[in-house]
């Protein structure tokens, strides 16, 4: 492989994944760290599982976004015309071949880590979401994203090596959060979704009802996470500080949903929302360090 081919491949890869690092890749090492801290793993022994988690997160994200962009070419030509398929940087046929190669590599790698059941759950969910049309209807799309959070976080926890019970205790709260609030991402995509004939949650409910629906989910989920998870495990100054950060960021997202309703503002709101998702996983590390 010469350098031009390598650089082209890296450019295509970056084009596929760059918008979704905060929700697809980074949560995996973040929750793996929580698992490692829960069992008091020495610092030097954390290096290998964290590296494994980064690679797992890369495959987790890359397989999904390629399939997603195969299915969403018409929408991307309106909302995200710089994406590789929409821009013509790669063909639909080449992207399809890429997806199946990545899926095989992903399963093989997860088998090495002995977490293939979570990978198979994600691939099945991703395939249904992207290639069987479940992303075209809001409730099924949101359910797929919630199942994806379960697959992502339980795999990450397993890489860290702790018993699954505590990982599930946190994951189920975050999965509820994802199911109830993930349609915030669709507010910024309404024009393209309408063009593609999709009926996402904001299109089904309407703009203001969907904002009320998402806001309620964010507030309820933040309360559950803070009350029944963070403070349950760490009711000290550090735990209360982390709880304050989660509460503040939740309120920022809710406020922006009503104060700034233009498409460009919704894109910024979604970016803050992804930081909030990551912050919940950092909170798990903070809380479980003192278990």
């Amino acid at each position: 492989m010469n350098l031009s081919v390598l650089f082209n491949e890296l450019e295509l890869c970056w084009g596929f994944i760059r918008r979704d690092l905060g929700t697809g890749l980074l949560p995996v090492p973040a929750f793996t760290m929580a698992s490692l801290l829960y069992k008091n793993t020495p610092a030097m022994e954390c290096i290998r599982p964290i590296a494994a988690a980064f690679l797992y997160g890369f495959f987790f994200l890359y397989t999904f976004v390629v399939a997603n962009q195969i299915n969403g070419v018409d929408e991307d030509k309106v909302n995200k015309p710089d994406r590789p398929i929409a821009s013509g940087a790669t063909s639909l046929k080449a992207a399809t071949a890429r997806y199946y190669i990545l899926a095989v590599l992903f399963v093989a790698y997860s088998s090495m880590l002995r977490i293939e059941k979570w990978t198979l759950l994600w691939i099945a969910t991703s395939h249904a979401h992207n290639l069987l049309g479940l992303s075209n209807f809001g409730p099924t799309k949101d359910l797929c994203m919630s199942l994806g959070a379960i697959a992502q976080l339980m795999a990450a926890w397993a890489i860290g090596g702790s018993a699954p019970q505590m990982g599930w205790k946190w994951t189920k709260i975050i999965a509820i959060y994802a199911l109830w609030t993930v349609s915030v991402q669709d507010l910024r995509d309404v024009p393209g979704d309408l063009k593609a004939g999709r009926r996402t949650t904001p299109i089904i409910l309407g703009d203001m009802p969907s904002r009320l629906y998402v806001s309620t989910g964010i507030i309820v989920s933040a309360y559950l996470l803070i009350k029944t998870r963070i403070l349950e495990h760490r009711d000290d100054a550090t735990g209360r500080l982390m709880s304050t950060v989660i509460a503040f960021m939740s309120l920022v997202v809710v406020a922006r949903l009503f104060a700034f309703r233009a498409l460009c503002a919704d894109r910024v709101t979604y970016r803050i929302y992804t930081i909030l998702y990551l912050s919940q996983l950092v909170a798990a590390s903070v809380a479980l360090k003192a278990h």
Side-chain angles (χ1 to χ4, degrees):
M1 180 183 292
N2 59 43
L3 285 177
S4 62
V5 173
L6 176 61
F7 285 133
N8 181 66
E9 182 60 31
L10 291 174
E11 186 176 4
L12 280 175
C13 174
W14 180 247
F16 276 114
I17 70 174
R18 68 182 182 87
R19 281 189 170 91
D20 299 292
L21 294 170
T23 52
L25 191 159
L26 296 179
V28 180
F31 207 51
T32 295
M33 180 58 74
S35 177
L36 291 164
L37 291 174
Y38 181 64
K39 64 174 188 173
N40 291 320
T41 307
M44 292 305 296
E45 294 180 19
C46 292
I47 296 173
R48 185 172 180 177
I50 290 297
F54 268 104
L55 183 55
Y56 187 89
F58 171 77
F59 277 123
F60 184 96
L61 172 60
Y62 203 2
T63 52
F64 177 80
V65 294
V66 172
N68 182 251
Q69 291 175 42
I70 288 170
N71 181 55
V73 177
D74 290 339
E75 177 212 335
D76 285 343
K77 286 180 178 178
V78 176
N79 294 329
K80 307 172 187 82
D82 59 332
R83 281 181 163 178
I85 304 173
S87 68
T90 189
S91 68
L92 201 57
K93 182 178 179 180
T96 302
R98 181 184 297 266
Y99 166 69
Y100 286 109
I101 291 169
L102 283 168
V104 170
L105 291 173
F106 189 18
V107 172
Y109 180 62
S110 67
S111 296
M112 293 171 56
L113 298 175
R114 298 183 179 179
I115 52 173
E116 60 271 17
K117 67 179 180 180
W118 301 117
T119 301
L120 292 173
L121 171 61
W122 178 231
I123 289 177
T125 302
S126 175
H127 193 85
H129 176 276
N130 294 314
L131 303 178
L132 298 183
L134 267 62
S135 65
N136 295 328
F137 182 58
T140 54
K141 180 179 184 181
D142 299 346
L143 176 61
C144 285
M145 294 297 95
S146 182
L147 290 173
I150 292 171
Q152 180 188 57
L153 298 182
M154 291 305 292
W157 187 266
I159 293 171
S162 289
Q165 290 80 5
M166 183 57 70
W168 175 242
K169 187 177 180 181
W170 283 76
T171 295
K172 61 186 177 184
I173 296 293
I174 297 172
I176 293 169
Y177 166 80
L179 176 64
W180 199 340
T181 67
V182 74
S183 59
V184 68
Q185 68 180 333
D186 297 318
L187 290 167
R188 61 192 176 142
D189 292 334
V190 167
D193 286 333
L194 286 170
K195 181 178 175 62
R198 293 178 173 172
R199 290 186 57 76
T200 58
T201 299
I203 293 172
I204 293 171
L205 295 180
D207 184 71
M208 185 57 72
S210 69
R211 292 174 190 272
L212 288 168
Y213 170 74
V214 169
S215 298
T216 302
I218 289 173
I219 292 169
V220 171
S221 300
Y223 173 80
L224 289 173
L225 187 75
I226 292 168
K227 180 70 174 177
T228 69
R229 294 299 178 266
I230 300 174
L231 295 181
E232 178 184 290
H233 291 280
R234 188 157 187 172
D235 191 5
D236 60 7
T238 302
R240 289 190 287 274
L241 176 61
M242 195 72 240
S243 298
T244 301
V245 170
I246 296 293
F248 176 74
M249 291 186 65
S250 298
L251 291 175
V252 167
V253 174
V254 169
R256 287 190 57 87
L257 283 171
F258 296 100
F260 305 101
R261 295 171 55 190
L263 290 178
C264 58
D266 283 333
R267 294 188 183 101
V268 175
T269 301
Y270 176 66
R271 285 197 288 271
I272 299 171
Y273 171 88
T274 64
I275 297 170
L276 174 58
Y277 178 62
L278 269 175
S279 298
Q280 293 173 342
L281 307 179
V282 173
S285 292
V286 171
L288 294 176
K289 179 68 170 66
H291 81 282

